[in-house]
Amino acid sequence: MSELFVRTLREAPADAEVPSHQWLVRAGYIRRAAPGIYSWLPLGLKMLRKVEAIVREEMEAIGAQEVSFPALLPKEPYEASNRWTDYGDSIFRLKDRKGGDYLLGPTHEEMFTLLVKDLYSSYKDLPLSLYQVQTKYRDEARPRAGILRGREFIMKDAYSFDVDDAGLQASYQRHREAYIRIFDRLGFEYVIVQATSGAMGGSASEEFLAVLANGEDTYVRSPGGYAANVEAVTVPVPEALPYDDAPAAHVEDTPDSTTITTLVEAANRLHPKAEGEWTAADTLKNVLFMITPPGGESEALAVGLPGDREVDAKRLEAQIGEEVAIEPFTDEDFARHPELIKGYIGPGVLGSESKTKIKYLVDPRVVTGTRWVTGADAEGQHVFDLVCGRDFTPDGTIEVAEVRAGDPAPDGSGPLELARGIEMGHIFQLGRTYAEALGLKVLDQNGKLVTVTMGSYGVGVSRAVAAVAEYSCDDKGLAWPRQLAPFDVQVVAAGKDAALLEKAQQVAQELADRGIEVLFDDRKASPGVKFADAEILGMPTTVVLGKRLADGLAEVRDRATGEAVDVAVDDLVEHVVATVRG
Ligand code: ATP
Ligand code: MG
C-alpha cells in the first residue's frame, strides 16, 4: 500500500449519481478524463483484466478465436452498410491530414465481415466465430454513471459466420450458452430478455440485463416465464367487435378540454354515459410527431392510442429507428397544419387518405368495432361513438403505447410485472444484412455462391465492472466477489511496532508464496485509516494483525458480510488460504 498508485477520496465526485460510480472513483479505481471518458488506475485495471479473462475463457471454450481490429477505421465499409449515416451523431468522426474521413469504431460488424470476405471463400471454411476485446467509441447523448455508460468503453464483440440458417441457429445457441456461463461467473443477478434488434435489423435477439433498481432499461416478466425488453413487448390483438348496434357518431361540445383529464371530466358532466362513467380508456388520444431520417426530409406522424396510456419514447424509437430524429409537434408544426386543432385532433384529419395526408398509426388495441371519444377537429368539440372500421380507418398499427404492470403477456403466460435493469450483453441473429451489403459470399456444397449468414454478440466488459460494483458495494465502499477482486486479501498491520510490522510482512509473504494475491497495508497510517481504506477498496478478506498479536491472535474479516473471527497466528496462513479457495 505504501507503493501502490492509489488515493482514496473522502468525497464522491459531484457528478456521480450512482454508487458504483462514486465508489470506483473514491477507491481510486478510475479517474475521469472527460465526460464519459475514464482512465483506469492499477486497482481498476486489475479488476477489469479479471472480467476480460472470464470472457476470453468462455469464448475460447466455444471455439471462438480472438482477433483485434483498430479502433480508428476508414469510412467506406460504414458507408456500404449505411451506418456512416444511420449512426448519426453517435459516431466520433475525424479527418486525416489528407482530408480522408475516418471514424472511431462504435462496433465492428463491417470490419469482421470484410476480413472474412478477404480470406474465406468456401462453405468448408465455415462455421467460424471470431471475437475481440476492444475499445469502442460512441458519442452517447447522455453519458452517465461513470463507466456504466461511457463514450469510450470496452466491449467484447463476437461474430459468427455460417452458410445457412440452421448453422446460424446453432452458432447463436453456442454463444448464448457461453454468455450464460460468463454472466454466472461474474456473479450479479441477471435476466435474459427478448429484445428488438434495433437499427441493425435481423430477427432473433436477446439481451442479458443485470437486475438493478437504478438501471436505465425497463423489462417485463410474467409468472409463466416470459421476459422481454419493454421495446419488444407486443400487445395481444383483441378480436374485432361487432358494431351493427352501435349508435351513429355524434359531435358534442366539450369546452376547455384539451387534455384527457379535462375531457373525461367534461364528458361525465355534460354527456354522461348511459351506464357507468367515462374514463380515460374510453378516449382515443392522437399524438403528433415530426420524424426526420438522417439526411432526409421531415415528415409528420400521428399515433392514436387509448387515452389512459402515454407514448413510450423508447418503444417509439425502437419502431421508427434509433437513427431517426423524433420530435413532438411544436407550435410551428401546428401553425403549418391549420387543420390540426391542438387538443381536439381526431381521426377525421389524419391518415394518408385524409386532407392532411399525415400517416396515422394506432395502438393494436384500436381494432375494428371499438368505439371512442376523440377530437372532432374543431375548437371545444369532441366526437362520441366514433367506431374504428366504420367511421375511420387508420393506416396501420404501431407498438408504442406504454407497457403497464398487469398487462397480459403476449404469449398468454400471465400478467406482466415491470422491473429495471441494465444491458450487459446482447446476442442477435444478424442474418445476411451485412454480408449482403459488403458482398460476403462463399461457394456452397453444390458450387453455388451463397451469401453468408451472421450473428453478432456483445458484452459490455467495462460496464460489467460497474455492474459488479453496483451489485456488491455497500455504504462503506466496494465489496468485490472473490473471483473478481483485484487482490484476494488485504493484510493490515494495525500498529507501528516493529515486531508487528515484521510479523505482518511475513504473513503477507507466506500467503503470496501460496499463490494468494495480497495487498499489504504497510503504511505508517493509523489503524482507523487503514480499516476505512480496506473497506473502501473492497478486497473480500482482510487480515488484521494488531494488539492481540501478543496473545497469538489475528483477526480475519469478511468484507461482504462484515463477519470477523479471531484466528491463532500459527493457523493464520492455512485459514486464509482455505477461506480464499473456498
Ligand atoms: P444500450 O442500450 O445500453 O445503449 P446498446 O444496445 O447500444 O446498449 P450494443 O450495441 O448491443 O449496446 O453493445 C453491446 C454491449 O456493449 C451492450 O450490451 C453494453 O453492455 C455495452 N455498451 C453499449 N454502449 C455502452 C456504453 N456507452 N458504455 C459502456 N458499455 C456499453
Ligand atoms: Mg447504445
Side-chain angles (χ1 to χ4, degrees), residues 247-478:
H250 45 109
V251 173
E252 305 288 353
D253 285 336
T254 51
D256 301 323
S257 39
T258 55
T259 66
I260 296 296
T261 316
T262 50
L263 168 61
V264 169
E265 191 273 321
N268 280 317
R269 186 164 39 88
L270 303 171
H271 316 284
K273 212 176 183 178
E275 281 162 47
E277 295 243 301
W278 296 113
T279 70
D282 297 315
T283 69
L284 177 64
K285 167 161 74 181
N286 298 300
V287 189
L288 280 124
F289 297 95
M290 276 311 251
I291 57 175
T292 316
E297 297 264 312
S298 297
E299 203 187 337
L301 170 71
V303 172
L305 70 168
D308 60 336
R309 296 198 186 241
E310 299 297 329
V311 172
D312 178 310
K314 282 194 165 182
R315 277 167 61 77
L316 180 61
E317 184 183 288
Q319 293 297 323
I320 305 285
E322 244 178 278
E323 71 285 4
V324 178
I326 305 168
E327 299 291 342
F329 247 45
T330 59
D331 287 343
E332 287 106 75
D333 294 325
F334 277 109
R336 265 196 302 275
H337 292 91
E339 309 87 351
L340 302 178
I341 315 292
K342 202 173 166 183
Y344 300 93
I345 302 166
V349 292
L350 302 173
S352 48
E353 305 285 303
S354 74
K355 61 181 168 208
T356 63
K357 301 212 166 21
I358 293 175
K359 191 170 184 185
Y360 183 43
L361 301 176
V362 295
D363 182 79
R365 295 172 189 85
V366 185
V367 289
T368 297
T370 49
R371 268 197 250 171
W372 303 97
V373 178
T374 189
D377 306 309
E379 188 67 36
Q381 291 192 321
H382 280 84
V383 52
F384 287 61
D385 292 313
L386 197 76
V387 175
C388 179
R390 181 188 73 181
D391 304 322
F392 69 100
T393 309
D395 294 319
T397 58
I398 188 165
E399 290 278 2
V400 297
E402 66 181 303
V403 177
R404 285 203 306 236
D407 284 350
D411 65 353
S413 62
L416 296 176
E417 177 188 47
L418 268 66
R420 295 189 78 82
I422 180 146
E423 182 186 324
M424 302 308 307
H426 191 182
I427 54 177
F428 56 104
Q429 301 180 14
L430 276 183
R432 298 186 172 79
T433 325
Y434 287 88
E436 234 145 50
L438 297 159
L440 170 57
K441 293 178 193 223
V442 294
L443 291 171
D444 72 2
Q445 289 90 326
N446 309 314
K448 205 175 99 217
L449 265 184
V450 293
T451 302
V452 168
T453 180
M454 293 169 57
S456 127
Y457 316 91
V459 172
V461 174
S462 50
R463 177 177 286 183
V465 171
V468 175
E470 196 68 33
Y471 226 79
S472 47
C473 69
D474 57 21
D475 57 353
K476 300 195 186 83
L478 298 164

Side-chain angles (χ1 to χ4, degrees), residues 120-193:
Y120 275 7
S121 56
S122 162
Y123 75 96
K124 292 182 197 147
D125 299 322
L126 305 181
L128 171 70
S129 175
L130 299 174
Y131 77 99
Q132 64 176 346
V133 178
Q134 199 240 17
T135 305
K136 301 274 191 263
Y137 297 85
R138 294 182 186 176
D139 197 356
E140 297 275 359
R142 285 172 294 275
R144 73 177 271 278
I147 53 173
L148 218 43
R149 178 173 299 283
R151 297 198 295 163
E152 175 180 293
F153 59 98
I154 297 165
M155 194 203 289
K156 186 284 302 177
D157 48 329
Y159 305 86
S160 66
F161 301 86
D162 281 278
V163 74
D164 56 23
D165 295 348
L168 171 58
Q169 293 300 331
S171 292
Y172 182 83
Q173 216 45 44
R174 241 189 344 270
H175 284 82
R176 187 178 195 274
E177 282 155 20
Y179 272 46
I180 290 174
R181 286 189 293 269
I182 289 170
F183 290 111
D184 282 349
R185 288 178 69 182
L186 291 181
F188 47 73
E189 191 189 343
Y190 69 93
V191 287
I192 305 175
V193 302

